[in-house]
Amino acid sequence: MSQQGYVATPPYSQSQPGIGLSPPHYGHYGDPSHAGSPPGKVHYFDLHVIINSQWSGLLSRTGSGMAPPGQGPPGPPSAPLFQGPPQPPQPSIMQPGSQVLPPPPTTALNGPGASPLPPSTHRQDGLPGPAPLNAQYQTLGSFLFKIFFQAANYGPQMAGGQLSYPGGFPGGPAQMAGPPQLQKKLDPDSIPSPVSRGQVYATNTRGQVPPLVTTDCVIQDQGNASPRYIRCTTYCFPCTSDMAKQAQIPLAAVIKPFATIPSNETPLFLVNHGENGPVRCNRCKAYMCPFMQFIEGGRRYQCGFCNCVNDVPPFYFQHLDHIGRRLDHYEKPELSLGSYEYVATLDYCRKNKPPNPPAFIFMIDVSYSNIKNGLVKLICEELKTVLEKLPKEEQEDTSAIRVGFITYNKVLHFFNVKSNLAQPQMMVVTDVGEVFVPLLDGFLVNYQESQSVIHNLLDQIPEMFADSNENETVFAPVIQAGMEALQAADCPGKLFIFHSSLPTAEAPGKLKNRDDKKLINTDKEKILFQPQTNVYDSLAKDCVAHGCCVTLFLFPSQYVDVASLGLVPQLTGGTLYKYNNFQMHMDSQQFLNDLRNDIEKKIGFDAIMRVRTSTGFRATDFFGGIFMNNTTDVEMAAIDCDKAVTVEFKHDDKLGEDSGALIQCAVLYTTVGGQRRLRIHNLSLNCSSQLADLYKSCETDALINFFAKSAFKAVLHQPLKVIREILVNQTAHMLACYRKNCASPSAASQLILPDSMKVLPVYMNCLLKNCVLLSRPEISTDERAYQRQLVMTMGVADSQLFFYPQLLPIHTLDVKSTTLPAAIRCSESRLSEEGIFLLANGLNMFLWLGVSSPPELIQGIFNVPSFAHVSTDMTLLPEVGNPYSQTLRMIMSIIQQKRPYSMKLTIVKQREQPEMVFRQFLVEDKGLYGGSSYVDFLCCVHKEICQLLN
């Protein structure tokens, strides 16, 4: 079947999917009246975008059939666009060696969910149908090129499901969109877009590429871990290290062991083998999982990771059925599911004894500025509320977590809040050089038992320090005190530190202001990201050893050296929150939301993670909020539902296509109730000796997560210019390798992108423009260090939104629907004076108002008569009892609830000064202080590819 070229149009510029094209988008990018070259004058290169693919008949989003080529109206000949034979069909996505587990029976074990997808529909970023051919030749700078997308062969989608495509290119039957015309600029609708839509997924197929992170879907565990827990950069590993070096595609997994799963998905099952403990391979110590093969009538099993044959323990024996599978296969989570938990035995506990339940210690900076601006009073009042919501085991009525309180400025104040006291007692430690814990009994207490004493204390703290003029603070001794208190109580725990200034008092960890703008854009710029003393590094190491996690709430009004203060939170699995120039009336809600969420979130303490792999490859590098004493054990004082660890793999031998590549992540941790558990996640990947299979199975969102973390780790040691060059070079190298080895021969002027990587250039450009890698005058050194630290622990969904924000046209809201309006591309050209747009990136939320916004919308959202009356000082929308207001507030709530950080709302009016900040998030446009536009970056990458191929 011959393949035809189509110009694709994104969904948001089309009225109905599958019903032809809307008119081409000109607007900001010129219009068709711009004449092309005069007759006889020829441009050196021509540029337009072609989708080059073969379709096997996809269903449209409405479920109606869409005719594949050859079954619908014939398309026009594409001779003007192609100067060679038509490209052969791409190989199908399923590999010959794919292992499909039989679907389990409908039992409580497997829970509700859709039936598995057909094997050929597992990639969700393809194109839902042939779009019309828009033969517009366009000129661009010194060279112009053709872009081809090599799309895979897709099968029919499950009925009723919704497809999600980052490019989102629905189209109708092939048709000519008019005569070739010349334009002055590249039409942005013709280049790939990261905007996507929704669908459904089951995990019973090896090497199956999951739906995009932006896809709203139900995931059913049928033998491989949910992509909520593990996402890979590619789901087909190259068989040899030479192939891996040739392609230069990172082989990595982004693991989020405690990821939150929606209520309509089955929670993890808990397996308890009593004193016997988990069944493990004798050689490699892998835990029992679906990849173990039972033999000899069920008396022995062969490990899928190291191939060692092990005896089945007598307590675990079960007969096999006619296909060699245990009769209790579907009754045991560890045999039929990709993710599950074990109750750990005493062998997995420190000193071979059960752990004590963890403790939370609240440590409040009571220096002059914090008392004066009301922050201390706000914290104390809120603690009365949040302490009622301490995390607890599902079956328990009350939390087992104990709590303690410390205040500090240049000295430390410990409080005895024992339940039999009439009043709390304060003990002061002035020797901050050698911190000790002045009391044990009465410091860490059960909240319910000591509630009245604790409330008494929280009422007294703001008054106690009301007359204090002390502005100097310590910081490292505060962490030291909390850690030693947990150590003395022989329990893991978490410190909640509320701090606001550079610690300049004489004490270990004292810091000086080193915010030197002269270092920016020099080889010494990396110093700004390094801690200025090794005190914090050694302190973090001690904290991890004692299971002490540190979460820091920062309220800076000037430079506080985030690179130093944030190191301990990062390395101990904690979180850093930062509220610049904190103002009570504007910022308190954001802070309180963060505090509540942090205290209530799912968390494991005193954790060790080990990533095991099948023979032929191994885990070599780890990125995240982690500490490593050796090359294999990832140590974390705590790990919560928002933290991810990115793991890179390297070959140490050949991989087999038949056996595939297996990954098992095991996390040993202590629950909030004090139980020691093992959380296991398993994933099976394909292996291939064909580069095309490797490229076809790539996951761009996971790739960007890996590239961001590896680059942000490198900023500590390498000049930023060098890092940016490496990223561009590797992008070009990956695409050049595809062009050379996987694509059909074509003219040198053509840029050819693999379908799975069609949005890689836009994401990579967003990463290159991030303030960590490219300084901007309005971004402080602290903000850059802060963003660097956040990204290091992000999962794939959070990094995707962070680098490419979500932009929603609010003026198109359907107030009768609960679905979000279709996202549009982050470019100024997509904004309109008559529109209202909501932008969110996980840290910030903006509501942009066009100068001609409809008065009825302004009235409905803000309860004021016109655009001029809207106040940009508000950070919360007023509760106006009408459909517009309710729907918008609901949408903002939906976006917020999936994110780890509370996003402060900023109202932005078109053509007013604050709009400059908003424009920095329109990532497809050229940066105000450097950084290419998306189109320019495509040109840059194409030049690099041409040089590599030549």
Side-chain angles (χ1 to χ4, degrees):
M1 180 165 58
S2 67
Q3 297 188 342
Q4 300 183 17
Y6 304 105
V7 171
T9 300
Y12 38 79
S13 62
Q14 188 169 322
S15 56
Q16 288 182 308
I19 311 183
L21 271 178
S22 62
H25 176 90
Y26 301 116
H28 180 71
Y29 286 81
D31 60 56
S33 63
H34 289 152
S37 305
K41 185 173 181 179
V42 181
H43 286 283
Y44 185 58
F45 285 112
D46 292 319
L47 170 69
H48 60 278
V49 178
I50 305 172
I51 310 298
N52 189 16
S53 55
Q54 174 188 1
W55 306 105
S56 57
L58 289 169
L59 298 180
S60 72
R61 292 184 68 247
T62 58
S64 59
M66 187 178 289
Q71 296 177 18
S78 45
L81 306 184
F82 295 95
Q83 297 181 357
Q87 298 193 16
Q90 296 294 306
S92 68
I93 290 173
M94 285 298 298
Q95 310 305 320
S98 293
Q99 303 292 319
V100 182
L101 299 172
T106 307
T107 65
L109 176 67
N110 293 286
S115 55
L117 294 175
S120 59
T121 64
H122 68 269
R123 183 58 186 166
Q124 299 309 323
D125 58 0
L127 311 179
L133 175 63
N134 187 359
Q136 296 170 353
Y137 281 76
Q138 302 165 351
T139 311
L140 185 70
S142 60
F143 76 97
L144 293 169
F145 50 88
K146 297 175 184 176
I147 301 177
F148 279 77
F149 297 126
Q150 307 259 345
N153 186 18
Y154 294 88
Q157 170 65 352
M158 176 188 276
Q162 288 188 345
L163 291 169
S164 170
Y165 309 100
F169 298 143
Q175 54 184 296
M176 183 65 85
Q181 292 183 352
L182 288 161
Q183 286 186 332
K184 290 188 176 178
K185 292 187 179 179
L186 176 61
D187 180 358
D189 282 338
S190 66
I191 56 180
S193 161
V195 175
S196 63
R197 309 221 179 164
Q199 68 110 46
V200 183
Y201 180 75
T203 69
N204 62 338
T205 307
R206 189 182 82 190
Q208 187 174 218
V209 183
L212 298 167
V213 291
T214 50
T215 303
D216 188 17
C217 60
V218 174
I219 295 167
Q220 187 179 23
D221 186 340
Q222 292 186 5
N224 283 289
S226 162
R228 301 192 200 284
Y229 295 122
I230 307 181
R231 278 187 178 267
C232 292
T233 52
T234 177
Y235 285 77
C236 180
F237 276 18
C239 283
T240 65
S241 58
D242 287 343
M243 267 183 74
K245 287 173 189 168
Q246 188 179 1
Q248 281 197 17
I249 294 174
L251 308 179
V254 185
I255 305 173
K256 200 174 179 182
F258 285 79
T260 303
I261 59 170
S263 57
N264 60 350
E265 292 178 17
T266 311
L268 295 193
F269 287 91
L270 181 62
V271 180
N272 190 348
H273 290 323
E275 293 182 1
N276 293 298
V279 179
R280 303 178 67 179
C281 172
N282 292 327
R283 183 194 288 166
C284 71
K285 302 301 180 186
Y287 294 87
M288 180 56 64
C289 68
F291 310 144
M292 305 300 192
Q293 182 68 47
F294 288 87
I295 55 177
E296 297 181 20
R299 290 186 296 275
R300 308 182 87 187
Y301 68 92
Q302 184 171 20
C303 175
F305 294 87
C306 69
N307 298 319
C308 175
V309 175
N310 300 269
D311 291 330
V312 173
F315 83 91
Y316 200 67
F317 174 78
Q318 180 57 270
H319 294 286
L320 307 184
D321 63 13
H322 64 287
I323 59 171
R325 190 169 54 192
R326 284 173 59 117
L327 296 176
D328 60 356
H329 180 83
Y330 292 117
E331 297 166 21
K332 292 194 175 295
E334 72 272 24
L335 299 181
S336 55
L337 299 177
S339 299
Y340 43 88
E341 290 198 318
Y342 283 113
V343 174
T345 60
L346 292 179
D347 295 337
Y348 295 88
C349 302
R350 289 181 189 262
K351 302 174 186 173
N352 283 23
K353 66 177 188 179
N356 291 313
F360 285 177
I361 302 178
F362 299 91
M363 318 180 89
I364 306 170
D365 170 1
V366 290
S367 57
Y368 173 75
S369 58
N370 283 5
I371 294 289
K372 187 178 179 183
N373 68 10
L375 181 59
V376 171
K377 185 174 176 59
L378 177 72
I379 293 167
C380 291
E381 284 299 316
E382 181 60 21
L383 285 179
K384 294 178 192 174
T385 306
V386 296
L387 289 172
E388 299 283 353
K389 298 180 180 179
L390 291 172
K392 61 179 187 290
E393 298 284 15
E394 289 177 12
Q395 67 276 13
E396 299 294 336
D397 293 330
T398 59
S399 175
I401 291 175
R402 290 173 293 165
V403 295
F405 302 88
I406 292 175
T407 58
Y408 67 94
N409 36 49
K410 62 194 296 189
V411 296
L412 277 66
H413 321 102
F414 288 75
F415 294 94
N416 184 345
V417 284
K418 198 170 181 180
S419 59
N420 59 3
L421 293 175
Q423 289 283 333
Q425 298 173 349
M426 181 171 81
M427 297 185 183
V428 182
V429 174
T430 56
D431 185 0
V432 290
E434 294 288 338
V435 173
F436 66 96
V437 181
L439 77 159
L440 294 179
D441 188 34
F443 178 65
L444 293 179
V445 298
N446 179 287
Y447 171 70
Q448 300 298 337
E449 294 173 4
S450 297
Q451 182 174 353
S452 60
V453 188
I454 290 171
H455 281 219
N456 203 334
L457 170 66
L458 294 173
D459 287 336
Q460 290 181 28
I461 285 175
E463 300 166 9
M464 208 181 295
F465 300 98
D467 298 328
S468 169
N469 291 320
E470 186 55 70
N471 241 334
E472 281 195 319
T473 58
V474 295
F475 187 71
V478 179
I479 298 174
Q480 184 79 31
M483 180 189 71
E484 294 199 6
L486 293 175
Q487 186 181 357
D490 194 21
C491 70
K494 185 170 180 177
L495 311 183
F496 292 82
I497 304 177
F498 306 91
H499 189 84
S500 62
S501 60
L502 193 70
T504 54
E506 281 302 327
K510 175 185 176 181
L511 301 175
K512 62 183 184 205
N513 189 330
R514 52 163 189 161
D515 189 16
D516 189 353
K517 298 285 185 188
K518 294 185 190 135
L519 298 180
I520 291 174
N521 295 325
T522 71
D523 286 353
K524 291 185 177 179
E525 189 171 2
K526 60 191 175 191
I527 294 171
L528 300 174
F529 295 101
Q530 299 167 356
Q532 62 173 284
T533 166
N534 60 9
V535 167
Y536 292 102
D537 193 61
S538 59
L539 189 54
K541 184 178 180 180
D542 291 342
C543 283
V544 172
H546 294 106
C548 172
C549 168
V550 178
T551 280
L552 175 60
F553 294 85
L554 266 181
F555 306 88
S557 56
Q558 54 193 9
Y559 177 78
V560 291
D561 198 350
V562 169
S564 298
L565 299 188
L567 186 66
V568 178
Q570 180 183 343
L571 295 181
T572 60
T575 307
L576 173 61
Y577 300 92
K578 185 162 75 77
Y579 312 92
N580 298 331
N581 301 307
F582 183 84
Q583 292 178 275
M584 190 68 64
H585 65 287
M586 292 182 68
D587 303 308
S588 60
Q589 197 56 53
Q590 181 190 14
F591 158 60
L592 296 179
N593 289 343
D594 282 334
L595 177 58
R596 291 165 192 165
N597 292 338
D598 201 280
I599 285 179
E600 295 174 29
K601 66 172 58 169
K602 172 76 177 174
I603 187 170
F605 293 91
D606 199 9
I608 298 177
M609 184 174 92
R610 174 75 71 90
V611 178
R612 292 181 173 84
T613 57
S614 52
T615 52
F617 73 113
R618 60 191 170 86
T620 56
D621 271 309
F622 299 84
F623 308 90
I626 57 174
F627 195 89
M628 298 190 71
N629 271 321
N630 55 45
T631 57
T632 55
D633 293 330
V634 179
E635 298 182 46
M636 297 165 283
I639 181 166
D640 63 45
C641 57
D642 297 317
K643 301 297 187 299
V645 178
T646 300
V647 185
E648 185 177 17
F649 302 101
K650 294 278 172 67
H651 287 76
D652 51 18
D653 204 346
K654 281 189 177 181
L655 296 173
E657 293 195 14
D658 294 335
S659 54
L662 309 179
I663 298 170
Q664 183 179 83
C665 166
V667 182
L668 175 64
Y669 73 99
T670 300
T671 68
V672 291
Q675 187 181 46
R676 204 71 173 145
R677 287 187 188 174
L678 284 151
R679 180 168 286 216
I680 313 294
H681 298 298
N682 304 286
L683 187 64
S684 60
L685 307 174
N686 286 327
C687 295
S688 177
S689 54
Q690 303 298 316
L691 281 168
D693 295 332
L694 168 63
Y695 280 95
K696 204 182 304 175
S697 299
C698 284
E699 222 272 24
T700 305
D701 295 319
L703 276 169
I704 287 299
N705 182 283
F706 172 84
F707 281 128
K709 289 182 181 179
S710 58
F712 285 12
K713 186 177 181 180
V715 300
L716 298 175
H717 313 291
Q718 290 180 277
L720 300 190
K721 186 168 181 278
V722 172
I723 295 169
R724 292 195 299 268
E725 288 171 356
I726 290 171
L727 288 171
V728 174
N729 291 340
Q730 188 160 1
T731 303
H733 193 107
M734 289 189 295
L735 298 176
C737 178
Y738 177 82
R739 167 71 180 266
K740 181 178 179 182
N741 298 285
C742 308
S744 302
S746 54
S749 60
Q750 294 174 346
L751 172 63
I752 300 179
L753 303 175
D755 181 65
S756 66
M757 289 185 177
K758 64 175 178 274
V759 293
L760 179 67
V762 67
Y763 282 164
M764 185 60 76
N765 192 40
C766 295
L767 170 57
L768 290 165
K769 290 199 287 188
N770 178 266
C771 66
V772 176
L773 297 182
L774 189 67
S775 64
R776 302 202 296 264
E778 87 283 11
I779 302 289
S780 68
T781 303
D782 273 346
E783 181 63 23
R784 297 175 71 195
Y786 174 61
Q787 291 196 21
R788 176 190 168 272
Q789 179 167 329
L790 296 193
V791 170
M792 291 305 292
T793 61
M794 277 184 181
V796 177
D798 292 328
S799 59
Q800 188 274 340
L801 184 70
F802 179 73
F803 289 113
Y804 195 97
Q806 188 174 21
L807 183 60
L808 304 177
I810 297 304
H811 53 282
T812 65
L813 267 183
D814 179 359
V815 294
K816 296 176 184 174
S817 171
T818 56
T819 57
L820 271 61
I824 62 172
R825 300 168 76 140
C826 288
S827 172
E828 183 189 348
S829 65
R830 305 291 163 163
L831 306 178
S832 62
E833 292 188 357
E834 300 80 24
I836 297 177
F837 297 84
L838 182 70
L839 183 144
N841 78 335
L843 293 184
N844 309 280
M845 192 177 278
F846 295 91
L847 192 63
W848 184 91
L849 311 176
V851 289
S852 303
S853 300
E856 65 273 14
L857 260 182
I858 296 291
Q859 176 73 44
I861 295 170
F862 299 100
N863 201 24
V864 295
S866 69
F867 174 86
H869 291 83
V870 175
S871 167
T872 56
D873 290 336
M874 67 176 75
T875 57
L876 291 172
L877 291 182
E879 293 190 30
V880 184
N882 66 64
Y884 280 126
S885 173
Q886 291 166 351
T887 307
L888 176 55
R889 288 160 59 82
M890 180 202 69
I891 285 172
M892 291 168 64
S893 174
I894 290 171
I895 294 171
Q896 178 60 70
Q897 70 189 13
K898 297 179 180 177
R899 302 300 161 191
Y901 299 92
S902 178
M903 290 180 268
K904 178 181 171 183
L905 177 67
T906 304
I907 308 295
V908 177
K909 288 183 173 181
Q910 186 180 9
R911 297 176 192 154
E912 291 191 5
Q913 183 58 33
E915 193 183 22
M916 299 295 283
V917 177
F918 169 78
R919 285 175 184 273
Q920 292 294 328
F921 296 92
L922 301 177
V923 290
E924 290 199 18
D925 299 337
K926 187 169 183 175
L928 298 177
Y929 303 103
S932 304
S933 69
Y934 177 20
V935 172
D936 290 343
F937 183 68
L938 275 176
C939 299
C940 167
V941 168
H942 182 62
K943 281 181 179 176
E944 293 280 335
I945 291 171
C946 289
Q947 289 174 4
L948 287 169
L949 293 175
N950 291 334

